[in-house]
Amino acid sequence: MKGDRVEIVVDAGDTTRTYEVVASRAGRRVETAVRRGVVEVSEVTRTGVVVRTARFMASRVLALVEQPVPLREDPQT
């Protein structure tokens, strides 16, 4: 869903770095997967086509924060 975001905090030796993957258009979503020691965060379209991917070594990832878009309340209700 547009606006979904995942923040990845990575150990970069003497400091930490924060990366962010955001669903930039309507109909896109952000998916995360951990496989073979690699954390993969991808922005995916409705049809399943991967638009962009960020990959990190799992041993270096300190935090993986998924932030869904807040549900908006219907003003007519």
Side-chain angles (χ1 to χ4, degrees), residues 1-51:
M1 175 174 224
K2 180 179 179 178
D4 282 351
R5 66 183 64 234
V6 175
E7 290 182 36
I8 307 102
V9 180
V10 179
D11 177 19
D14 58 340
T15 186
T16 60
R17 292 190 183 181
T18 303
Y19 298 92
E20 188 173 79
V21 177
V22 180
S24 59
R25 290 188 175 179
R28 293 190 179 171
R29 64 187 183 275
V30 179
E31 294 182 349
T32 59
V34 180
R35 297 184 197 118
R36 295 186 176 193
V38 175
V39 175
E40 187 174 281
V41 182
S42 302
E43 182 181 357
V44 182
T45 64
R46 285 183 184 142
T47 60
V49 177
V50 176
V51 177

